[in-house]
Amino acid sequence: MDAESEAGIERAKAWRAAANVRRRGMSSPEPSEFVKASMNLTITDLTQRFSTATILDRLELSTGDIQSLVLVGPSGGGKSTLLRILAGLDVPTAGSVTFDGATLPREETGLRAYRKTVGTVFQAYNLFPHLTALDNLLMPLVEVHGLTPQAARERVREPLERFALAAHAHKRPAQLSGGQKQRIAILRALVIQPRRMFLDEPTSALDPEMTAEVLEMIGELKALGTQFVLVTHEMGFARRVADDLAFVGDGRILAHGKADEILTRCPVSRVKNFFDRILA
C-alpha cells in the first residue's frame, strides 16, 4: 500500500473516531489523537503572464514540513493565481512547484492525475443546483474516482455526521444557507480523501455568522490532520490555523514565516503598513 492510500485510511479512521465521539455526546478529541500529515513546498522562479499583464513575477517560496500554509495580502496581488497553480488548475508561464520532492507536471495528462489527488474549494460554491447535497458529494466519487454508489455512500456518511450536515443531505442547494452550501463544497473536496486541500477565500461571500460556521469547519479539518493551503482575508483565523503565513503582493512573496511574526513584527515596510491599516 502506498503512502497516499495509508493517509486516506488514517483520515477515515479519524472521521470514524470523531463521529463516534459526537454520537456519544462527548467533547471532541484533542488534535494529537488524529493523524498529522505534513507537506514540504518549494516554489522556484514562478512566473504567470496573461497577455501583457504579469500576475506572478519570479515568485519564490520554500517551507519546511508544515500542515497548513495561509496566503494573505492585498486584492490583485496574485494569491488566487498562485493557488490555482498549486492546485494544478493553471500552468505557469515559467518556474516550478514542488511538493514533497515531486515537481508538478506541466502536461495535461499529468495534471489531470494530480488533480485527482487534491481537493479544491472556490469562493463560489459550484454545487450542481438540480442535485441534492448528498448527490453533489457522491457524483465525483462515482464518476471521477470510480467508487460504486454503495461505497461512495459509505464514504460520505461519517463525514456528514462529523460536520453536522447529515440533516441537510437531501436538500438542494437552493434550500441551504450560504454557510451550509460552502460547508458542503468543502466536504465534497474532502471526501475524495485528498492528499491536500486548496481553499480560495471560502468565506468571502458569507455574512459573519455563516463565516464563523465555515471557519470552524476548516479549524476542524486541521485537527483531523488535513494538509491545506488557504487564501483568506480573515487575519484572526489565519493566525490560529497557519503553520506558515505568506504575504503575496505585486506578484511576489514579500514576507514568509510564522503568523505572529508576520502579522505583528514584520520588518518589511509594505507588509507592516498593510497590517497596520487592516488590524487597527
Side-chain angles (χ1 to χ4, degrees):
M1 182 182 298
D2 61 23
E4 196 166 297
S5 299
E6 290 178 353
I9 291 171
E10 291 302 320
R11 282 190 287 275
K13 288 178 180 177
W15 286 332
R16 283 195 292 271
N20 288 335
V21 165
R22 184 181 290 275
R23 283 194 291 268
R24 294 174 192 147
M26 299 164 58
S27 60
S28 295
E30 292 298 317
S32 61
E33 294 181 55
F34 294 119
V35 60
K36 289 295 184 290
S38 63
M39 59 182 173
N40 192 303
L41 169 63
T42 301
I43 303 174
T44 304
D45 203 27
L46 195 67
T47 300
Q48 184 68 301
R49 297 189 185 94
F50 297 109
S51 185
T52 59
T54 298
I55 311 302
L56 300 179
D57 186 13
R58 303 186 68 179
L59 183 146
E60 302 271 342
L61 178 67
S62 181
T63 72
D65 290 331
I66 59 172
Q67 185 188 343
S68 58
L69 171 66
V70 177
L71 305 177
V72 300
S75 297
K79 302 184 300 297
S80 293
T81 299
L82 174 57
L83 190 85
R84 288 183 61 85
I85 292 173
L86 297 180
L89 299 172
D90 289 339
V91 178
T93 305
S96 64
V97 173
T98 300
F99 278 107
D100 304 324
T103 300
L104 263 60
R106 300 182 65 89
E107 75 283 358
E108 181 56 28
T109 300
L111 284 172
R112 190 179 302 118
Y114 170 75
R115 288 194 292 265
K116 287 185 178 181
T117 71
V118 302
T120 307
V121 180
F122 301 101
Q123 299 176 34
Y125 321 119
N126 293 339
L127 300 178
F128 292 105
H130 63 293
L131 299 179
T132 65
L134 177 61
D135 287 335
N136 269 280
L137 299 180
L138 297 177
M139 177 179 281
L141 292 175
V142 174
E143 300 297 332
V144 178
H145 296 274
L147 274 68
T148 66
Q150 180 179 352
R153 284 179 177 273
E154 180 60 25
R155 172 83 66 88
V156 305
R157 180 179 61 82
E158 287 162 341
L160 278 168
E161 293 179 4
R162 172 69 180 105
F163 294 107
L165 289 166
H168 306 293
H170 297 289
K171 296 178 181 178
R172 292 189 178 183
Q175 298 171 294
L176 301 173
S177 70
Q180 290 163 351
K181 291 175 188 177
Q182 192 60 289
R183 287 159 62 205
I184 290 292
I186 293 172
L187 198 57
R188 179 176 57 184
L190 185 65
V191 294
I192 69 169
Q193 296 180 352
R195 187 171 183 83
R196 67 187 59 89
M197 293 181 65
F198 300 95
L199 303 102
D200 187 8
E201 297 190 40
T203 63
S204 64
L206 303 179
D207 65 29
E209 183 177 9
M210 295 177 185
T211 292
E213 290 179 7
V214 173
L215 294 183
E216 180 182 7
M217 183 178 187
I218 297 171
E220 291 187 34
L221 294 183
K222 186 172 185 186
L224 287 168
T226 306
Q227 300 176 22
F228 61 85
V229 181
L230 167 69
V231 173
T232 186
H233 290 292
E234 300 287 339
M235 297 304 163
F237 183 70
R239 188 195 299 261
R240 293 198 302 274
V241 301
D243 290 342
D244 275 17
L245 186 143
F247 186 98
V248 185
D250 302 325
R252 298 185 177 187
I253 301 295
L254 301 183
H256 167 234
K258 299 305 177 186
D260 277 338
E261 297 173 0
I262 302 299
L263 290 171
T264 63
R265 300 185 298 277
C266 184
V268 181
S269 59
R270 168 73 187 281
V271 177
K272 182 179 183 300
N273 292 338
F274 177 87
F275 290 126
D276 284 347
R277 288 195 306 272
I278 68 170
L279 298 177

